[in-house]
Amino acid sequence: MNKDIATPVRTKAILEKYGFSFKKSLGQNFLIDTNILKKIVSFADLTEQSGAIEIGPGIGALTEQLARSSKKVVAFEIDQRLLPILADTLSPYPNVSIIHKDVLAADVQSVMAEHFAGIDDVMVVANLPYYVTTPIIMKLLEDQLPIRGIVCMLQKEVADRISAKPGTKDYGSLSIAVQYYTEAETVMIVPKTVFVPQPNVDSAVIRLIKRESPAVSVKDETFFFQVTKASFAQRRKTLLNNLTSQLPDGKQKKEGILAALEASGIEPSRRGETLSLEEFGRLADELYPYFY
């Protein structure tokens, strides 16, 4: 059995061996608690037939646990300085491929086609760099990748927003965007103390399981997201105020906006945070003819 990478002693030894220094700009915080890594992997329900995609493997602590639990692991690493370290730490695992690319610029679809041929069950499992969490999650969902879902560690505050329910202070356009595609739940809170260097914020692990079809069926997805974004532009403002000030030519189309609100059975004086996904779907569809 190989010694785990994710112990304080082994992590320190690896960093010293390669003279590695953390880059703040890349949001590098490495986990040094094997039990937490094993728990994160367990939330993904992987089998020996599964594939796993990791983003930002660092020195390979989570990658190693994924390699032991799945058939094939593909990890995207942006920092060239980590490539020789990963080649060393992951040498016992022939089922791991490291791709030196920014996942936001990568064609993940074709990477999956190349590396996961014959694998039907693929999960994204990652300790995401906190400064780009939202763009990464949205790319993975909007690209309609053939994945079962995502289990990732991120800033607790962002996890709260993603899994928030209507009527709560954390509920907003990000909650709607993610819950439109997935069923979201926060499955674990992770203390700062299990990272090196310690981040300034608490972390959480969130599990997103892709829905077979989006939560609501809408005439135009792009417009639906435009409406939800506009509805939260200024949280204290009413829906009517936000929609008239944020949608293109909204002021001139105020009558249409009022008519659409009425047709969808939504009071103009309500605030965005009180609307469910279904209500936003209805509203976007009623507004659509006034804008297109």
Side-chain angles (χ1 to χ4, degrees):
M1 188 66 178
N2 298 300
K3 270 199 304 192
D4 289 314
I5 294 167
T7 62
V9 173
R10 180 113 193 263
T11 299
K12 188 169 181 251
I14 292 166
L15 296 175
E16 280 175 3
K17 176 179 174 183
Y18 286 91
F20 183 83
S21 55
F22 292 93
K23 263 193 186 163
K24 222 175 176 164
S25 63
L26 293 176
Q28 289 169 330
N29 303 93
F30 298 164
L31 263 163
I32 47 169
D33 186 316
T34 308
N35 289 331
I36 287 182
L37 288 169
K38 285 180 173 161
K39 252 188 179 157
I40 292 171
V41 173
S42 75
F43 290 126
D45 293 321
L46 299 169
T47 71
E48 285 163 19
Q49 298 310 310
S50 301
I53 296 173
E54 190 189 0
I55 295 151
I59 57 171
L62 176 59
T63 328
E64 169 178 74
Q65 303 299 334
L66 290 169
R68 292 175 187 169
S69 310
S70 63
K71 187 172 186 174
K72 173 79 195 181
V73 184
V74 171
F76 289 88
E77 179 52 63
I78 197 172
D79 188 350
Q80 200 165 351
R81 302 172 307 149
L82 286 164
L83 303 182
I85 304 182
L86 288 163
D88 175 4
T89 59
L90 298 173
S91 58
Y93 306 102
N95 59 337
V96 174
S97 296
I98 304 294
I99 294 182
H100 177 37
K101 261 210 173 106
D102 176 356
V103 74
L104 288 171
D107 180 349
V108 183
Q109 200 94 359
S110 53
V111 169
M112 287 182 71
E114 183 189 336
H115 289 275
F116 295 132
I119 295 178
D120 298 326
D121 178 59
V122 180
M123 283 292 281
V124 176
V125 187
N127 169 17
L128 290 177
Y130 291 175
Y131 72 108
V132 283
T133 304
T134 306
I136 289 174
I137 290 175
M138 290 319 297
K139 175 190 164 79
L140 295 170
L141 297 177
E142 286 166 355
D143 283 2
Q144 301 287 329
L145 300 171
I147 56 175
R148 175 162 51 88
I150 302 170
V151 171
C152 63
M153 171 127 63
L154 65 182
Q155 214 169 315
K156 181 178 177 294
E157 183 192 318
V158 180
D160 290 344
R161 281 166 49 207
I162 285 175
S163 56
K165 298 282 176 266
T168 60
K169 70 171 175 38
D170 289 316
Y171 183 70
S173 52
L174 179 62
S175 328
I176 292 162
V178 176
Q179 291 173 34
Y180 174 80
Y181 295 109
T182 69
E183 296 197 28
E185 56 172 333
T186 299
V187 286
M188 183 183 180
I189 305 299
V190 182
K192 306 171 193 182
T193 47
V194 298
F195 294 92
V196 50
Q198 280 194 27
N200 305 323
V201 292
D202 281 321
S203 304
V205 177
I206 195 157
R207 177 167 52 196
L208 309 171
I209 300 297
K210 259 178 82 173
R211 299 176 187 272
E212 295 207 350
S213 54
V216 289
S217 159
V218 290
K219 286 178 185 164
D220 185 293
E221 233 171 58
T222 310
F223 184 64
F224 167 75
F225 289 125
Q226 200 181 349
V227 169
T228 59
K229 229 177 181 146
S231 304
F232 289 97
Q234 292 189 287
R235 291 186 79 94
R236 290 163 176 255
K237 284 193 166 180
T238 64
L239 265 178
L240 180 61
N241 278 340
N242 269 331
L243 294 171
T244 45
S245 65
Q246 299 296 321
L247 289 176
D249 302 325
K251 288 191 172 63
Q252 287 79 345
K253 297 177 178 174
K254 191 171 182 179
E255 291 310 310
I257 293 173
L258 275 164
L261 283 160
E262 191 177 345
S264 30
I266 296 166
E267 286 292 326
S269 59
R270 281 174 67 183
R271 288 186 183 158
E273 69 211 48
T274 67
L275 269 67
S276 65
L277 247 83
E278 290 71 26
E279 287 178 306
F280 272 119
R282 270 206 316 274
L283 177 57
D285 282 358
E286 292 292 349
L287 283 166
Y288 188 75
Y290 294 102
F291 289 86
Y292 289 95

